[in-house]
Amino acid sequence: GVDVSGLGAKPLQLDSFTAARLAGSLNKRFGCGVPPKALLRGVAMAAILNLVQTTEAVAAAAYDWEAEAAVPPELAAGMGGVPFGPAVPLGEADALLLTGATGFLGTHLLASLLAADKGPAVVCVVRAASDAAAAGRVSAALRARGVWSDAARSPKLRCLAGDVTLPGFGLSD
């Protein structure tokens, strides 16, 4: 064992993208099987070292992307048989619903959408107590990731307080 007393006692706060990158690097370098999820909830350096020392390498299994992309039967049944319409090119859409706008990918996608001269309105559903608080969370996330610009003040951005895990995203009619 390695003495880790006093080594980085303060937990790291990692977003999902950084946790996945760190887990991949640890697994490649040390031949272990640290799952990215284990690094998400404020894990300290000593705990990371313990994960490296105690997890076994997992063989890469063939991944069934078709099964991953399929709509689960219980969800399809809840959709009432409503078929999806044809895809609309981004340039022809009136509005775009963006979830995950405060995450790593979402902030970069939002910044790109808002920076475009033309394009649809962007509606972001964000966990917050009010629409103003939702807008504040989006602004803070854009700033934290270094992609803030005056385009974030664009009238084509609308932030709504909601929760994507609730029916109708927790939005009122």
Side-chain angles (χ1 to χ4, degrees), residues 21-161:
R21 287 183 57 202
L22 177 57
S25 295
L26 291 169
N27 295 340
K28 182 177 178 181
R29 173 70 174 93
F30 299 108
C32 55
V34 175
K37 193 181 272 189
L39 303 173
L40 282 177
R41 300 222 187 260
V43 62
M45 292 300 290
I48 293 172
L49 180 58
N50 185 50
L51 286 167
V52 168
Q53 293 175 333
T54 60
T55 58
E56 294 183 22
V58 180
Y63 201 76
D64 185 353
W65 289 104
E66 291 297 321
E68 181 68 22
V71 176
E74 62 276 8
L75 180 59
M79 294 167 55
V82 176
F84 291 102
V88 175
L90 186 59
E92 296 176 20
D94 294 329
L96 181 137
L97 175 66
L98 178 63
T99 62
T102 60
F104 181 85
L105 181 59
T107 52
H108 288 83
L109 182 57
L110 178 59
S112 294
L113 289 166
L114 294 176
D117 291 334
K118 294 182 180 181
V122 181
V123 179
C124 299
V125 177
V126 180
R127 280 188 308 266
S130 66
D131 292 349
R137 285 197 62 211
V138 169
S139 292
L142 291 168
R143 289 178 196 280
R145 294 205 169 68
V147 293
W148 168 264
S149 74
D150 285 338
R153 292 189 180 105
S154 171
K156 70 181 189 177
L157 172 62
R158 181 159 181 219
C159 298
L160 300 176

Side-chain angles (χ1 to χ4, degrees), residues 158 167-168 170-173:
R158 181 159 181 219
L171 302 171
S172 60
D173 294 333

